[in-house]
Amino acid sequence: MQQAWLNGEWCKLDEARISPLDRGFLFGDGVYEVIPVYNRKVFALGPHLKRLQHSLSATRIPNPYTDDDWRKLCHDLIQRHPWTNQSLYIQVTRGLQPKRDHTPENCLVPTVFAYSNELTPLPESLLQTGIRCITVEDIRWMRCDIKAITLLPNIMMKMAAQEAGADDAILMRNGMVVEGTASNVMIVESHTLVTPPLDHCLLGGITRQVLLHVAKESGLEVKEEPISLLRLHQADEIWLTSSTKEALPVVEIDGQAVGKGVPGPIWKQMRAAYAAAKKRFVEAYDE
Ligand code: PDD
């Protein structure tokens, strides 16, 4: 049975209850993190906690815990579940407010909810075939650097992609690639890895950060620069990156094959380099 941490107490996940007057429920007024665990060790916790703090500071929700409290919570979540690899979900909302009002009352107590899922590797068949994407106009707000729980536009864009017969969407703003519906985007142009630079329109993905580091270490040239639709269409490889997918190859974009229409050689090389980086991390892990 999965367990949940809700406002300072453990309970069975299916027995966890919040008030409908919680601002997270009424307004989507909250932020979250998804943190991968490999071999029962939290991966890149520091960067995840830094991003959580960024989301909380930007939304002016007080951080209810110290980094050590968060570390302990992650550790306890892992201990309470049997899986070797897990995906920890942490959510902080501005809290319960009895009177519905857009303006938050002072002195609200943030609601903290956390639970764990098994992190299963993507099916080998998916990695063999890759996925198909279409480009869509990004309909989200101008603060996508905040990992907000308010994901309705992401859901609508993903549904639009699936209704069009694709697996996912790559979001465009002013003719430039932004990111995926729940991932960052990277392209390969001959031997160079290119990804859009960070700004308020996209999330600073931790997988993006680690992959860029690993790519540089492996001698790949890495560029953070704007990617036009033409460049996306002419890329040799396209990947979606996230904590749950790592790097997922896109083999078709807007109905056209990407490169040879199969997962590319640089993706294969980077997948191996990323796996090696995870292994080094697990071996060097010191609590
Ligand atoms: N989402 N961009 C968006 C919009 C995302 O939702 C995510 C991840 C990323 C990649 O971030 P990271 O590499 O830190 O996982 C980029 C998570 C996995 C989710 O919502 O489930």
Side-chain angles (χ1 to χ4, degrees):
M1 164 56 66
Q2 270 162 291
Q3 298 189 33
W5 174 258
L6 182 60
N7 288 331
E9 281 175 26
W10 291 101
C11 60
K12 290 183 182 155
L13 179 60
D14 62 359
E15 288 173 6
R17 300 281 180 272
I18 60 149
S19 162
L21 296 174
D22 190 282
R23 292 185 62 93
F25 184 77
L26 280 183
F27 295 107
D29 188 355
V31 302
Y32 75 106
E33 277 297 321
V34 176
I35 312 175
V37 170
Y38 302 118
N39 209 10
R40 304 188 70 77
K41 312 216 163 48
V42 202
F43 188 64
L45 181 61
H48 278 281
L49 290 181
K50 197 166 163 210
R51 185 173 66 188
L52 176 64
Q53 183 59 59
H54 171 74
S55 300
L56 290 168
S57 300
T59 51
R60 285 188 258 138
I61 297 174
N63 190 338
Y65 295 160
T66 63
D67 277 5
D68 277 350
D69 295 334
W70 286 117
R71 196 165 283 116
K72 177 166 186 337
L73 175 57
C74 292
H75 187 258
D76 291 350
L77 270 171
I78 297 168
Q79 296 316 314
R80 283 169 182 264
H81 295 92
W83 313 298
T84 308
N85 298 327
Q86 304 185 20
S87 161
L88 308 183
Y89 180 87
I90 288 173
Q91 174 171 320
V92 183
T93 77
R94 203 179 298 276
L96 170 72
Q97 178 167 323
K99 182 174 178 305
R100 184 182 179 277
D101 189 341
H102 287 64
T103 310
E105 280 169 17
N106 289 328
C107 310
L108 294 180
V109 179
T111 300
V112 177
F113 169 63
Y115 76 114
S116 176
N117 282 297
E118 183 173 16
L119 181 59
T120 47
L122 292 177
E124 201 49 42
S125 56
L126 190 65
L127 295 173
Q128 296 286 328
T129 56
I131 62 162
R132 287 172 301 162
C133 286
I134 56 165
T135 52
V136 302
E137 191 59 28
D138 191 352
I139 57 171
R140 299 172 304 166
W141 65 335
M142 300 301 291
R143 288 308 305 271
C144 296
D145 56 311
I146 300 170
K147 201 160 170 60
I149 56 173
T150 330
L151 291 172
L152 191 53
N154 305 59
I155 292 165
M156 287 168 63
M157 292 185 290
K158 178 135 195 182
M159 289 195 308
Q162 290 175 346
E163 277 157 22
D167 300 296
D168 210 336
I170 291 183
L171 318 182
M172 307 293 298
R173 201 187 276 271
N174 300 325
M176 297 291 165
V177 172
V178 184
E179 59 179 342
T181 58
S183 56
N184 290 111
V185 174
M186 296 195 179
I187 66 168
V188 176
E189 293 175 325
S190 95
H191 281 272
T192 305
L193 188 59
V194 190
T195 193
L198 295 182
D199 63 19
H200 282 176
C201 292
L202 70 158
L203 187 74
I206 309 303
T207 318
R208 173 189 183 280
Q209 189 178 320
V210 175
L211 256 172
L212 291 183
H213 179 78
V214 168
K216 280 182 202 154
E217 260 184 4
S218 336
L220 266 191
E221 196 186 338
V222 169
K223 286 189 192 161
E224 292 179 61
E225 60 184 35
I227 300 171
S228 65
L229 184 62
L230 183 66
R231 248 176 121 178
L232 181 73
H233 282 170
Q234 291 180 343
D236 297 319
E237 300 184 21
I238 303 176
W239 317 337
L240 300 183
T241 72
S242 78
S243 295
T244 43
K245 296 193 224 28
E246 300 186 0
L248 181 60
V250 177
V251 295
E252 191 186 293
I253 182 74
D254 293 329
Q256 289 169 221
V258 177
K260 296 196 166 73
V262 290
I266 308 282
W267 171 76
K268 282 197 188 119
Q269 185 192 328
M270 276 308 106
R271 191 168 129 75
Y274 196 82
K278 283 192 324 195
K279 191 160 176 281
R280 278 201 306 275
F281 159 80
V282 164
E283 283 162 2
Y285 194 87
D286 184 10
E287 292 205 31

